[in-house]
Amino acid sequence: MQQHIAIIGAGIGGLSLAWALHKRGARVSLYEQGAIPNPISSSFDEHRITRHTYGGLSGYGALMPLAFRAYEELWRDLGATHYLPTNLLYVARRASDWYEATAGELDAMGIAHRPVSKAEIATRLPMLRQEGIAEAFEAEGAGMLFASRIVTDLARWLAEAGVALHPHSRVSEVDTEAGSFTVNGERRSADVVVIAAGAWLPAIYPAARPRLTPSRQVMLYLQPPVELATAWAAAPVLVDQGVTHGGYILPPRGGTRLKIGDHVFTRRGDGSDNRIATPEDVAAVKTAASEIFEGFERYELLEAKVCYYTVTDDERFVVEPIGARSWLLSACSGHGFKLGPVIASGLADAITGKRDATEVTAWAAGKG
């Protein structure tokens, strides 16, 4: 008998899981409280960084070649490649062993990398402040995933493949033992229920708190000064690690805008909150940007976009069975997009009996 899987949440995790399960012969129903894809979800964004570098979060570097291969499979199915290789430049403005930790992983994977001098940064990347740079390095095997294009095409592929998509379907409660749930006031069931609801996950499954905490984040989209347009058009993706900030910057390439965010989790708010950026939201990222960009006051703020993650203290994926007939799927950090299809493929193998559940839980947490 064909296994019926219900997935709650149509971000990159839920969409990728529906894709992976359908390819394994399961019958899939996908529920999302908004449109599919949902414009207010954190997965609906212009671009996201992907890379092989993962120093400081052990276990995930080894997953990245698998992640790139999973995306190659996805591109074949979608008939389009929504990825632009750019390299990645990492800038440290404080003492750090990040390069040392990362170099070994990159060498093992055969990914080229090199130190970058301040003189080269001044010539090639004049938009960066020189003051305070302790070291920098550049690595290949990195670039930008065009996120909103991916989830849009993936939703289209699922619909054409016959996956049952249920937009505007709010799930309010899940019985993890029975595999049943309430959606828009109606009781439904499946052989297995997967809660992949992002920032809404703790509201649907309260037992996840306080381990999984919604975190309100903001990203700034900017128009750079005219005189820096050429430099930005050739720039790699950037990670700038300061004393109080962990800035990530995506250049305005491939039809996107310049974006900066700060990898400092607020751990406040709720997925049901509005997405209107407040002065408090914007101020922290502006402070980071002023420490990273030379002459930041010359940049025009085009948009301040609020998104939500559900985060854990260790920033590792939570992929685990709950009850007799349910699973949790949560990225627990901003790295969910780059690893979404490969983690979903591992979970699909566990649900369909091809991999051991305990092994997949450890593997998804970078401990397998």
Side-chain angles (χ1 to χ4, degrees):
M1 175 183 271
Q2 189 180 35
Q3 199 174 19
H4 179 208
I5 316 300
I7 302 169
I8 301 166
I12 188 60
L15 289 167
S16 295
L17 181 59
W19 166 72
L21 284 166
H22 178 79
K23 288 169 70 73
R24 286 158 177 76
R27 180 165 70 94
V28 181
S29 299
L30 180 61
Y31 296 86
E32 167 59 45
Q33 66 176 349
I36 298 177
N38 191 339
I40 71 167
S41 72
S42 60
S43 293
F44 200 87
D45 194 9
E46 292 183 20
H47 39 14
R48 291 293 183 89
I49 294 175
T50 189
R51 62 189 191 271
H52 284 82
T53 50
Y54 247 112
L57 196 58
S58 62
Y60 283 106
L63 288 179
M64 287 314 301
L66 300 176
F68 274 81
R69 288 200 288 273
Y71 266 112
E72 288 295 334
E73 182 182 352
L74 184 60
W75 306 147
R76 288 192 294 271
D77 285 346
L78 297 183
T81 299
H82 299 307
Y83 169 64
L84 178 68
T86 65
N87 289 4
L88 177 141
L89 184 75
Y90 179 87
V91 176
R93 298 180 186 272
R94 57 179 173 81
S96 170
D97 61 356
W98 207 83
Y99 185 28
E100 181 180 353
T102 299
E105 286 185 338
L106 294 175
D107 287 339
M109 292 182 283
I111 303 295
H113 58 91
R114 65 184 181 89
V116 176
S117 68
K118 291 178 69 172
E120 179 181 342
I121 292 175
T123 301
R124 178 181 161 205
L125 298 166
M127 69 284 284
L128 296 183
R129 288 188 63 188
Q130 299 293 303
E131 181 183 0
I133 294 179
E135 67 171 359
F137 76 90
E138 184 172 22
E140 296 181 4
M144 303 191 303
L145 293 166
F146 298 119
S148 58
R149 302 175 202 177
I150 292 169
V151 294
T152 298
D153 270 8
L154 190 44
R156 172 191 54 79
W157 185 93
L158 291 169
E160 292 174 353
V163 171
L165 303 184
H166 299 275
H168 308 292
S169 298
R170 182 182 293 272
V171 174
S172 56
E173 182 270 335
V174 176
D175 185 329
T176 60
E177 294 294 338
S180 61
F181 53 98
T182 301
V183 54
N184 292 343
E186 179 184 337
R187 201 67 184 167
R188 301 191 184 180
S189 64
D191 296 313
V192 177
V193 177
V194 181
I195 307 173
W200 292 272
L201 187 152
I204 296 170
Y205 183 66
R209 296 180 185 269
R211 180 186 176 198
L212 279 67
T213 304
S215 185
R216 183 179 176 93
Q217 308 294 133
V218 70
M219 302 168 289
L220 304 184
Y221 295 89
L222 306 167
Q223 179 67 46
V226 173
E227 64 272 20
L228 292 175
T230 299
W232 272 117
V237 294
L238 302 161
V239 174
D240 190 294
Q241 185 66 58
V243 176
T244 59
H245 70 257
Y248 55 88
I249 301 102
L250 293 99
R253 299 177 60 175
T256 65
R257 298 173 293 176
L258 170 62
K259 182 178 79 174
I260 179 169
D262 194 7
H263 190 75
V264 176
F265 296 136
T266 67
R267 290 183 170 82
R268 62 181 175 83
D270 186 85
S272 61
D273 291 347
N274 68 53
R275 299 301 194 270
I276 300 171
T278 67
E280 180 185 5
D281 290 325
V282 173
V285 183
K286 275 191 169 182
T287 298
S290 68
E291 295 172 357
I292 295 168
F293 295 155
E294 185 66 43
F296 175 62
E297 67 279 359
R298 295 179 295 143
Y299 287 72
E300 178 188 356
L301 177 60
L302 300 174
E303 182 185 0
K305 181 179 179 179
V306 172
C307 72
Y308 275 85
Y309 298 133
T310 292
V311 302
T312 58
D313 290 341
D314 63 5
E315 298 185 35
R316 295 180 181 273
F317 272 82
V318 174
V319 179
E320 60 190 33
I322 50 173
R325 294 171 59 180
S326 303
W327 282 79
L328 289 183
L329 169 58
S330 181
C332 298
S333 173
H335 61 191
F337 210 100
K338 64 178 69 69
L339 286 158
V342 71
I343 297 296
S345 295
L347 175 53
D349 283 342
I351 291 171
T352 57
K354 295 180 174 64
R355 292 177 69 174
D356 176 75
T358 301
E359 183 270 328
V360 168
T361 294
W363 169 81
K367 300 174 182 178

